[in-house]
Amino acid sequence: MNFHEMPLPTLQRINENAYQQLNKDSEAKSVYEQTKALLDERADWDINLAVELLRKVASMGELITYTDLWAQVTTKRFPGTAIRNYMQGVQRECKARSWPVLSSIVHANGDAEGLKAAEGHFEGAKAEGLDTGTDTPLMYLRRQRHACWVWAKEK
């Protein structure tokens, strides 16, 4: 079984099940040790994993919440408003790869329109030297989302 390709919640569930079977099954020990090592590795925010997950979400023409993204990428506690720093890191990584700004498809729970995220996304983009043109923050966010969906479907 290739644990490296599994999303974090699946890996956590397999790890917990293997832990419960440790005394009953010799194979469970191997599964537990392998998944525990991967969970320990993923404890920190992994920008490459985050960007790849966002690319996959964009290829489906979808959006993702901050909390869902966070849960798929790390076992750390959700950082609250400090998520802005992580999203700016995504913007920086996308700029370095000459990709559309994938952080635009991330939104707060209950705010798929991006009304809450637009200003922070816009300010982060300007701080990274990205061209925001004459758009308002909400228009920039919408334009970036569209660019992400079109680009990711072609990949």
Side-chain angles (χ1 to χ4, degrees), residues 20-35:
Q20 292 173 1
Q21 298 294 319
L22 278 178
N23 294 328
K24 301 175 190 171
D25 183 349
S26 61
E27 186 178 325
K29 183 176 182 182
S30 172
V31 169
Y32 173 75
E33 289 171 353
Q34 289 176 56
T35 56

Side-chain angles (χ1 to χ4, degrees), residues 31-105:
V31 169
Y32 173 75
E33 289 171 353
Q34 289 176 56
T35 56
K36 175 76 172 104
L38 284 171
L39 287 170
D40 290 344
E41 283 177 25
R42 291 193 192 174
D44 291 324
W45 171 261
D46 182 337
I47 189 69
N48 292 316
L49 188 59
V51 169
E52 186 56 29
L53 175 63
L54 290 172
R55 188 193 62 74
K56 287 178 184 175
V57 170
S59 73
M60 296 181 291
E62 300 285 333
L63 301 170
I64 188 169
T65 66
Y66 292 114
T67 52
D68 287 344
L69 171 64
W70 193 259
Q72 295 287 326
V73 177
T74 182
T75 58
K76 281 184 176 178
R77 188 169 175 232
F78 186 75
T81 57
I83 190 70
R84 174 179 275 184
N85 299 330
Y86 294 95
M87 292 299 98
Q88 192 163 349
V90 171
Q91 289 177 325
R92 187 176 306 120
E93 186 66 22
C94 289
K95 179 182 177 185
R97 295 181 187 199
S98 299
W99 288 7
V101 185
L102 291 168
S103 60
S104 66
I105 65 169

